[in-house]
């Protein structure tokens, strides 16, 4: 036995050996390896060490296995049987190893985390400690690069001249119906305004705002804008109070003002602002009942 | 800034080049897409006539300015192609998110990174979608959000999208995430969320504290 052992130690160092065991010897060595395997767990409880030992044993077994020729294998099935036994023993060790390791089990529960994220979205929104903040500028650069040149100038000029006449023609029939409508309503509005503003200019918001209906208020603004566009009423900001006022414009003034430059007066109104204005101006009932 | 620096002394023109390099880097970094070395070189050569052999010096000097003036630093991310990302020189845990960032995207990114880290291994693509859907950060077949992770975050180097066996794809932390987020930071968020100590997750804690040691060593240099 000892002599065989001695030779195995030299065997270990060189993968390719000229020395060939006899089947009998191999059987003996295999049995030893199997015993060693079964003893691993007695020698250590550290899973990493167990793995190392198993690795060693398997490596030796492989060397042993490659030592015999195929014909011998066929003649001596005991070797094959032992080989598979060794395989079984070593894999048992490994399984127990991995079970031991996984008792340091990952306590992370992805469903728990997903649940927490779902319920506390804002908690999981933050900047990273070493993240360079992306800089956003409120205004652009002082020296912007020039815009890429537009399509050829001559073509642009021609194109600018062409659309207006073309655009006007189709627009006319489409707008005729609505124009008539709005003119009608505007007329009614105009007549009512004449009565209301007989004694002088009235507050714009008092005229247009309908505390009962947001959409009505918008319509009033819309109709009034037509009157203003046609120059039949004038809308201006009172310098003292900063409040917009409406005043009627006589035919006289209209003709004079016809050629004056366009001025714009923009009213933006959403539901919140409408409510605020109604409250601020203390408007309790609409000026116009029905159209 | 006068760009026709022909009449300037060499020192002044190289200062100008360094400043221009700093400006270029600051402008580029916002997208979080890594800045290519050759792009910096091209920009400096074309606009400044900076000689090729001085580019490395210019970038080093620019990095110094970034560190001393802005508290930023350049990190080389791709040894071959030489790409850079910009991160902070010293950690700062209390900064608000820039208005430039999309909060929804940030939540997705944080969820993905935390999931990968806590799992302790690359996460399969399908598992990631299930997780994010469960967290109600996306709908199950939301192509846009998937593209966000697969394309955008990958390009920004926050995530890596790699092919595994059998044509399955996995998500891993990208290099930018490794640079910008100390693992212990995420772990402390987890412990805050679940009311336990960070060492509750033993493996992750070990990983986080060993990483921290590496980080500290860099600072001491």
């Amino acid at each position: 036995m000892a002599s065989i052992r001695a030779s195995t130690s030299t065997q270990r160092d060189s993968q390719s050996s000229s020395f060939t065991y006899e089947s009998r010897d191999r059987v003996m060595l295999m049995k030893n390896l199997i015993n060693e395997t079964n003893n691993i767990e007695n020698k250590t409880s550290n899973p990493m060490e167990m793995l190392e030992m198993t690795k060693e044993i398997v490596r030796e077994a492989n060397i042993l296995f490659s030592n015999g020729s195929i014909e011998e294998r066929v003649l001596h099935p005991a070797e094959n049987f032992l080989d598979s036994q060794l395989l079984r023993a070593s894999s048992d060790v490994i399984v127990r190893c991995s079970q031991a390791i996984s008792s340091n089990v990952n306590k992370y529960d992805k469903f728990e985390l997903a649940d927490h994220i779902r319920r506390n979205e804002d908690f999981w929104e933050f900047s990273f400690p070493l993240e360079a903040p992306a800089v956003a500028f409120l205004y652009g650069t002082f020296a912007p690069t020039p815009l890429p040149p537009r399509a050829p100038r001559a073509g642009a000029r021609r194109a600018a001249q062409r659309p207006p006449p073309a655009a006007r023609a189709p627009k006319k029939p489409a707008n005729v119906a609505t124009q008539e409508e709005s003119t009608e309503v505007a007329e009614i509005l105009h007549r009512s305004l004449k009565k209301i503003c007989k004694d002088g200019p009235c507050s714009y918001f008092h005229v247009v705002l309908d505390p009962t209906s947001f959409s009505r208020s918008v319509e009033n603004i819309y109709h009034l804008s037509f009157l203003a566009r046609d120059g039949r009423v004038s809308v201006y900001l009172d310098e003292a109070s900063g409040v917009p006022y409406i005043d009627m414009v006589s035919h006289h003034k209209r003709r004079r003002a016809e050629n004056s430059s366009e001025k714009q007066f923009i009213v933006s109104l959403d539901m919140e602002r409408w409510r605020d204005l109604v409250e601020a101006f203390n408007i309790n009932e609409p000026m116009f009942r029905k159209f | 800034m006068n760009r026709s620096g022909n009449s300037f002394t060499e020192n002044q023109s190289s200062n100008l080049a360094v400043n221009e390099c700093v400006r270029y880097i600051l402008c580029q970094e916002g997208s979080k897409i890594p800045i290519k070395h050759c792009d910096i070189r091209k920009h400096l050569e074309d606009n400044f006539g900076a000689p090729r052999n001085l580019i490395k010096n210019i970038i080093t000097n620019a990095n110094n300015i970034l560190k001393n003036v802005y508290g930023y630093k350049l990190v080389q991310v791709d040894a071959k192609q030489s790409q850079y990302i910009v991160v902070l020189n010293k950690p700062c845990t209390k900064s608000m998110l820039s208005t430039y960032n999309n909060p929804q995207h940030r939540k997705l990114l944080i969820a993905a990174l935390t999931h990968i880290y806590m799992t302790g291994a690359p996460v399969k693509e399908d598992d990631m979608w299930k997780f994010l859907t469960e967290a109600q950060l996306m709908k199950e077949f939301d192509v846009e959000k998937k593209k966000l992770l697969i394309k955008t975050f990958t390009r920004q180097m926050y995530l890596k999208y790699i092919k595994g066996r059998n044509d399955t794809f996995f998500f891993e932390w990208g290099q930018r995430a490794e640079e910008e987020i100390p693992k212990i930071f995420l772990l402390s968020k987890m412990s805050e969320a679940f009311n336990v100590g960070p060492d509750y997750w033993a493996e992750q804690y070990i990983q986080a504290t060993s990483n921290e040691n590496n980080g500290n060593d860099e600072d001491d240099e």
Side-chain angles (χ1 to χ4, degrees):
Chain A
M1 185 84 94
S3 57
I4 296 173
R5 282 272 158 147
S7 48
T8 23
S9 56
T10 53
Q11 192 78 351
R12 254 180 242 155
D13 299 328
S14 56
Q15 284 278 356
S16 54
S17 71
S18 47
F19 191 92
T20 349
Y21 291 115
E22 284 205 31
S23 171
R24 208 170 8 126
D25 305 326
R26 280 201 296 270
V27 166
M28 190 111 57
L29 290 167
M30 270 302 224
K31 283 191 178 156
N32 285 335
L33 283 178
I34 294 177
N35 282 335
E36 265 187 59
T37 314
N38 293 331
N39 269 329
I40 284 184
E41 277 157 36
N42 299 335
K43 289 207 190 135
T44 174
S45 56
N46 180 340
M48 298 310 293
E49 282 177 40
M50 283 197 257
L51 279 173
E52 275 307 312
M53 288 187 190
T54 320
K55 239 200 312 189
E56 262 306 309
I57 292 175
V58 170
R59 200 154 58 84
E60 281 184 43
N62 280 338
I63 295 173
L64 218 51
F65 191 85
S66 58
N67 189 273
S69 67
I70 296 192
E71 296 89 340
E72 286 195 274
R73 298 252 155 246
V74 174
L75 290 171
H76 305 281
E79 281 187 59
N80 303 329
F81 173 69
L82 286 173
D83 191 59
S84 62
Q85 269 212 315
L86 178 66
L87 191 63
R88 173 112 180 266
S90 52
S91 71
D92 279 346
V93 174
I94 305 270
V95 165
R96 282 193 289 271
C97 262
S98 46
Q99 281 172 349
I101 290 181
S102 54
S103 61
N104 298 336
V105 74
N106 189 357
K107 293 194 198 130
Y108 168 57
D109 181 352
K110 60 186 173 182
F111 295 106
E112 257 193 335
L113 177 60
D115 186 55
H116 191 273
I117 296 177
R118 185 179 60 222
R119 285 191 278 119
N120 308 279
E121 250 189 48
D122 293 332
F123 180 83
W124 295 100
E125 180 194 333
F126 45 78
S127 67
F128 305 135
L130 288 155
E131 169 191 9
V135 183
F137 298 95
L138 186 58
Y139 297 113
T141 159
F142 283 128
T145 47
L147 292 167
R150 299 253 189 110
R153 289 265 201 88
R157 233 179 283 144
R158 260 184 275 127
Q161 283 172 5
R162 255 187 281 121
R168 247 184 270 149
K171 259 196 187 163
K172 257 203 223 149
N175 274 347
V176 159
T178 47
Q179 247 184 25
E180 284 184 351
E181 260 180 51
S182 56
T183 346
E184 211 182 289
V185 178
E187 281 303 315
I188 302 174
L189 184 62
H190 192 230
R191 262 178 266 143
S192 318
L193 275 177
K194 260 207 281 209
K195 282 187 227 148
I196 295 167
C197 294
K198 223 187 342 187
D199 307 316
C202 32
S203 152
Y204 178 85
F205 285 117
H206 276 93
V207 170
V208 298
L209 289 180
D210 179 342
T212 62
S213 160
F214 174 70
S215 51
R216 262 309 191 71
S217 313
V218 173
E219 277 177 42
N220 294 340
I221 296 178
Y222 177 70
H223 296 313
L224 198 70
S225 71
F226 278 100
L227 291 178
R229 180 200 63 182
D230 296 335
R232 295 154 87 182
V233 303
S234 80
V235 182
Y236 63 93
L237 274 181
D238 178 43
E239 279 179 1
S241 60
V243 173
Y245 276 88
I246 301 180
D247 198 7
M248 305 309 291
V249 180
S250 65
H251 271 280
H252 244 354
K253 284 196 216 149
R254 263 179 83 190
R255 251 184 248 136
R256 257 198 294 150
E258 231 154 62
N259 296 323
S260 69
S261 59
E262 249 181 67
K263 292 209 180 103
Q264 277 196 6
F265 184 79
I266 299 175
V267 182
S268 66
L269 196 70
D270 60 2
M271 293 213 75
E272 201 186 322
R273 181 171 283 206
W274 166 67
R275 274 187 232 119
D276 289 342
L277 284 168
V278 164
E279 208 185 305
F281 282 98
N282 214 356
I283 300 172
N284 296 318
E285 44 175 43
M287 197 153 277
F288 306 104
R289 285 283 159 196
K290 58 175 164 78
F291 282 135
Chain B
M1 200 154 71
N2 186 350
R3 289 207 180 162
S4 58
N6 297 327
S7 53
F8 285 75
T9 62
E10 207 179 272
N11 225 2
Q12 281 174 305
S13 67
S14 72
N15 272 345
L16 286 174
V18 171
N19 289 343
E20 177 62 24
C21 185
V22 172
R23 193 188 73 96
Y24 181 79
I25 291 173
L26 283 176
C27 291
Q28 292 292 315
E29 81 88 19
S31 65
K32 298 299 175 185
I33 296 173
I35 308 170
K36 294 209 184 94
H37 178 93
C38 54
D39 284 346
I40 300 180
R41 180 169 33 89
K42 200 150 175 278
H43 179 82
L44 290 176
E45 272 177 3
D46 294 347
N47 300 336
F48 259 82
R52 195 166 282 219
N53 55 333
L54 289 183
I55 298 285
K56 274 228 164 70
N57 272 347
I58 294 178
I59 294 184
T60 314
N61 290 336
N63 195 12
N64 282 335
I65 294 185
L66 286 170
K67 279 191 186 161
N68 296 325
V69 175
Y70 294 87
Y72 289 1
K73 84 175 167 187
L74 274 181
V75 172
Q76 205 158 359
V77 288
D78 197 346
K80 280 185 299 168
Q81 282 178 28
S82 257
Q83 296 189 321
Y84 300 97
I85 58 171
V86 176
V87 297
L88 290 186
N89 205 11
K90 296 244 159 67
C92 169
T93 40
K94 296 269 163 56
S95 51
M96 285 174 64
L97 258 190
S98 160
T99 49
Y100 202 61
N101 289 112
N102 181 323
Q104 280 309 113
H105 294 182
R106 179 48 61 106
K107 286 177 204 163
L108 272 166
L109 179 60
I110 288 178
L113 288 173
T114 312
H115 181 49
I116 297 171
Y117 168 49
M118 297 304 290
T119 302
V123 170
K124 265 193 252 187
E125 184 178 350
D126 289 328
D127 179 60
M128 179 64 83
W129 307 139
K130 288 210 186 77
F131 172 75
L132 292 175
T133 309
E134 184 78 26
Q136 286 190 353
L137 288 173
M138 66 181 261
K139 299 270 167 64
E140 204 179 338
F141 296 110
D142 189 338
V143 182
E144 286 304 314
K145 300 257 162 63
K146 287 190 187 180
K147 263 207 282 195
L148 184 66
L149 270 89
I150 296 178
K151 294 250 146 71
T152 310
F153 291 154
T154 303
R155 218 165 154 222
Q156 295 176 332
M157 299 192 95
Y158 276 118
L159 288 178
K160 270 201 272 221
Y161 184 64
I162 40 190
K163 198 167 176 186
R165 277 201 219 156
N166 303 331
D167 288 337
T168 43
F169 284 88
F170 291 83
F171 281 112
E172 270 189 351
W173 274 40
Q175 207 168 344
R176 185 185 282 275
E178 299 279 356
E179 291 284 339
E180 290 186 3
I181 314 172
K183 300 261 173 20
I184 190 72
F185 176 78
L186 266 191
L187 204 57
S188 57
K189 285 279 177 184
M190 284 292 289
S191 54
E192 197 187 321
F194 294 105
N195 242 330
V196 290
D199 49 1
Y200 176 75
W201 296 277
E203 286 295 313
Q204 291 85 338
Y205 186 67
I206 294 174
Q207 193 190 3
T209 43
S210 69
N211 277 347
E212 198 181 44
N213 290 336
N214 291 342
N216 284 340
D217 288 341
E218 277 175 26
D219 279 346
D220 289 340
E221 275 171 9

